Coordinates of all heavy atoms in Angstrom, one line a residue:
Chain A
I45 N -9.6 11.0 -17.3 CA -10.7 10.2 -16.8 C -11.1 9.1 -17.8 O -11.3 8.0 -17.4 CB -11.9 11.1 -16.3 CG1 -11.4 11.8 -15.0 CG2 -13.1 10.2 -16.0 CD1 -12.3 12.9 -14.6
S47 N -9.4 7.8 -20.0 CA -8.3 6.8 -20.1 C -8.3 5.8 -18.9 O -8.1 4.6 -19.1 CB -6.9 7.4 -20.3 OG -6.5 7.9 -19.0
S57 N -5.8 -0.5 -11.2 CA -7.2 -0.8 -11.5 C -7.5 -2.1 -10.9 O -8.7 -2.4 -10.6 CB -7.5 -0.7 -13.0 OG -6.6 -1.5 -13.7
Y69 N -18.4 6.8 -10.0 CA -19.1 8.0 -9.6 C -18.2 9.2 -9.6 O -18.5 10.3 -10.1 CB -19.8 7.8 -8.2 CG -20.0 9.1 -7.4 CD1 -21.0 9.9 -7.8 CD2 -19.2 9.4 -6.4 CE1 -21.2 11.1 -7.2 CE2 -19.3 10.6 -5.8 CZ -20.4 11.5 -6.1 OH -20.5 12.7 -5.5
L75 N -16.6 14.4 -15.0 CA -16.9 14.7 -16.4 C -18.1 15.6 -16.5 O -18.1 16.5 -17.3 CB -17.2 13.4 -17.1 CG -16.0 12.5 -17.5 CD1 -16.5 11.2 -18.2 CD2 -15.0 13.2 -18.3
A83 N -19.4 12.2 -23.3 CA -18.3 11.5 -23.9 C -18.3 10.0 -23.5 O -17.6 9.2 -24.1 CB -16.9 12.1 -23.4
W92 N -24.1 -1.6 -16.7 CA -23.1 -2.1 -15.8 C -23.5 -1.8 -14.3 O -23.4 -2.7 -13.5 CB -21.7 -1.5 -16.1 CG -20.7 -1.9 -15.1 CD1 -20.1 -3.1 -15.0 CD2 -20.2 -1.0 -14.0 NE1 -19.2 -3.1 -13.9 CE2 -19.3 -1.8 -13.3 CE3 -20.4 0.3 -13.6 CZ2 -18.6 -1.3 -12.2 CZ3 -19.8 0.8 -12.5 CH2 -18.8 0.0 -11.8
D98 N -27.3 -6.4 -5.9 CA -27.6 -7.7 -5.3 C -29.1 -7.9 -5.4 O -29.9 -7.2 -4.7 CB -27.1 -7.7 -3.9 CG -27.3 -9.0 -3.2 OD1 -28.4 -9.6 -3.4 OD2 -26.5 -9.3 -2.3
G102 N -31.2 -6.0 -2.6 CA -31.6 -4.8 -3.2 C -30.4 -3.7 -3.1 O -30.5 -2.7 -3.9
Q122 N -26.4 7.7 -7.3 CA -25.9 9.0 -7.9 C -25.5 8.8 -9.3 O -25.9 9.8 -10.1 CB -24.6 9.4 -7.1 CG -25.0 10.0 -5.7 CD -23.8 10.2 -4.8 OE1 -22.9 9.3 -4.7 NE2 -23.8 11.3 -4.0
D131 N -35.6 5.5 -13.6 CA -36.7 4.7 -14.1 C -36.4 3.2 -14.1 O -37.2 2.4 -14.0 CB -37.1 5.2 -15.5 CG -36.0 5.0 -16.5 OD1 -35.1 5.9 -16.5 OD2 -35.9 4.0 -17.2
L133 N -34.7 1.6 -11.9 CA -34.5 1.1 -10.6 C -35.8 0.7 -9.8 O -36.8 1.5 -9.9 CB -33.7 2.2 -9.8 CG -33.0 1.8 -8.5 CD1 -31.9 0.9 -8.8 CD2 -32.5 3.1 -7.8
V142 N -31.7 0.2 2.3 CA -31.0 1.3 3.0 C -31.7 1.5 4.4 O -31.0 1.5 5.4 CB -31.1 2.6 2.2 CG1 -30.5 3.7 3.0 CG2 -30.3 2.4 0.9
L145 N -30.9 -0.8 7.4 CA -29.6 -0.7 8.0 C -29.6 0.3 9.2 O -28.6 0.5 9.8 CB -28.5 -0.4 7.0 CG -28.2 -1.5 6.0 CD1 -27.3 -1.0 4.9 CD2 -27.5 -2.7 6.7
R163 N -20.4 8.3 8.6 CA -20.3 8.2 7.1 C -21.5 7.5 6.6 O -22.1 7.8 5.5 CB -19.1 7.5 6.6 CG -17.8 8.2 6.8 CD -16.6 7.5 6.2 NE -16.5 6.2 6.9 CZ -16.3 5.0 6.2 NH1 -16.1 5.0 4.9 NH2 -16.2 3.9 6.9
H176 N -36.5 10.1 -2.8 CA -37.7 10.5 -2.2 C -38.3 9.5 -1.2 O -39.5 9.3 -1.2 CB -38.8 10.8 -3.3 CG -38.3 11.8 -4.3 ND1 -38.3 13.2 -4.0 CD2 -37.9 11.7 -5.6 CE1 -37.8 13.8 -5.1 NE2 -37.6 12.9 -6.0
C193 N -22.5 12.9 18.1 CA -21.1 12.8 17.6 C -20.5 14.2 17.5 O -19.4 14.3 17.0 CB -21.0 12.1 16.3 SG -21.6 10.4 16.4
G198 N -16.9 22.0 17.8 CA -18.0 22.3 16.9 C -18.1 21.3 15.8 O -19.0 21.2 15.0
P204 N -19.7 8.7 18.7 CA -19.7 9.7 19.8 C -18.3 9.6 20.5 O -17.8 8.6 20.8 CB -20.8 9.2 20.8 CG -21.7 8.4 19.9 CD -20.9 7.8 18.8
H209 N -13.1 15.5 12.3 CA -12.3 15.2 11.0 C -13.1 15.8 9.9 O -14.3 15.6 9.8 CB -12.1 13.7 10.9 CG -11.4 13.2 9.7 ND1 -11.9 13.3 8.4 CD2 -10.2 12.7 9.6 CE1 -11.0 12.9 7.6 NE2 -10.0 12.5 8.2
Q212 N -15.6 13.5 8.1 CA -16.8 13.2 9.0 C -17.7 14.4 9.1 O -18.9 14.3 9.1 CB -16.3 12.7 10.4 CG -15.4 11.5 10.4 CD -16.0 10.2 10.0 OE1 -17.2 10.1 9.9 NE2 -15.2 9.2 9.7
C216 N -21.7 14.6 8.4 CA -22.6 15.0 9.4 C -23.4 16.2 9.0 O -24.6 16.3 9.1 CB -22.0 15.2 10.8 SG -21.3 13.6 11.4
D232 N -20.9 29.2 13.9 CA -19.7 30.1 14.1 C -18.5 29.3 14.6 O -17.4 29.4 14.2 CB -20.0 31.2 15.0 CG -21.1 32.1 14.3 OD1 -21.3 32.0 13.1 OD2 -21.7 32.9 15.1
L255 N -1.0 17.8 7.0 CA -0.7 18.5 5.7 C -2.0 18.8 4.9 O -2.9 18.0 5.0 CB 0.2 17.6 4.9 CG 1.7 17.5 5.3 CD1 2.4 16.5 4.4 CD2 2.4 18.9 5.2
M270 N -22.3 24.8 3.2 CA -23.6 24.4 3.8 C -24.0 25.3 5.0 O -25.1 25.5 5.3 CB -23.6 22.9 4.2 CG -23.7 22.0 3.0 SD -23.9 20.3 3.4 CE -22.2 19.7 3.6
D299 N -3.0 14.6 -4.7 CA -3.4 15.1 -3.3 C -2.6 16.4 -3.0 O -3.1 17.3 -2.3 CB -3.2 14.0 -2.3 CG -1.8 13.4 -2.3 OD1 -1.0 13.7 -3.2 OD2 -1.5 12.7 -1.3
A304 N 1.5 11.8 -7.5 CA 0.9 11.0 -8.6 C -0.6 11.3 -8.6 O -1.2 11.4 -7.5 CB 1.1 9.6 -8.5
V307 N -8.1 9.3 -9.7 CA -9.5 9.7 -10.0 C -10.1 10.4 -8.8 O -10.8 11.4 -8.9 CB -10.4 8.6 -10.4 CG1 -11.7 9.1 -10.8 CG2 -9.7 7.8 -11.5
Y332 N -25.5 17.1 -1.7 CA -25.7 15.8 -2.4 C -24.5 15.4 -3.2 O -24.5 14.3 -3.8 CB -26.9 16.0 -3.3 CG -28.2 16.1 -2.6 CD1 -28.9 17.3 -2.4 CD2 -28.8 15.0 -2.0 CE1 -30.1 17.4 -1.7 CE2 -30.0 15.0 -1.3 CZ -30.6 16.3 -1.1 OH -31.8 16.4 -0.4

Side-chain angles (χ1 to χ4, degrees):
Chain A
I45 287 165
S47 76
S57 56
Y69 157 73
L75 285 181
W92 172 75
D98 180 325
Q122 286 169 318
D131 59 279
L133 197 65
V142 174
L145 291 167
R163 288 182 302 135
H176 302 285
C193 297
H209 178 290
Q212 305 288 347
C216 292
D232 296 344
L255 285 176
M270 287 186 273
D299 56 349
V307 183
Y332 291 104

